Amino acid sequence: MRNRGPYSHLPEARQFDRQHVLIHHEANRLMDMHQAGQVEQAVAGFGSVQLIADEMVVLLQTMEEKLRREA
């Protein structure tokens, strides 16, 4: 979405972009931990990735609802 395109007018699109960057950052952090031998801590941190993913799904659903109403 990256602040351009057909969905850029939706505030949820900007939130989605922020969450998208955040999920990659968090996943990379956990992967680094795992590769450093901190397997249990990395696995325990997966919940934060799941929360971000859940928020992203809600944002996508909200955008879909708004776009259907606009059509």
Side-chain angles (χ1 to χ4, degrees):
M1 287 173 225
R2 298 283 177 208
N3 296 324
R4 59 183 177 270
Y7 311 118
S8 62
H9 67 287
L10 297 172
E12 292 84 5
R14 290 183 293 281
Q15 290 175 306
F16 184 88
D17 283 340
R18 286 191 295 273
Q19 293 302 95
H20 184 209
V21 170
L22 182 60
I23 201 168
H24 281 282
H25 175 75
E26 187 65 11
N28 287 334
R29 185 181 74 80
L30 294 174
M31 211 155 34
D32 289 345
M33 289 173 68
H34 189 277
Q35 290 175 341
Q38 300 172 330
V39 176
E40 288 182 28
Q41 296 93 326
V43 171
F46 182 73
S48 64
V49 173
Q50 187 60 55
L51 287 174
I52 297 167
D54 291 346
E55 291 172 16
M56 292 174 77
V57 169
V58 170
L59 289 167
L60 288 170
Q61 291 169 335
T62 302
M63 286 188 285
E64 180 183 22
E65 290 171 13
K66 285 186 173 185
L67 292 168
R68 287 183 189 277
R69 280 181 278 179
E70 287 179 8

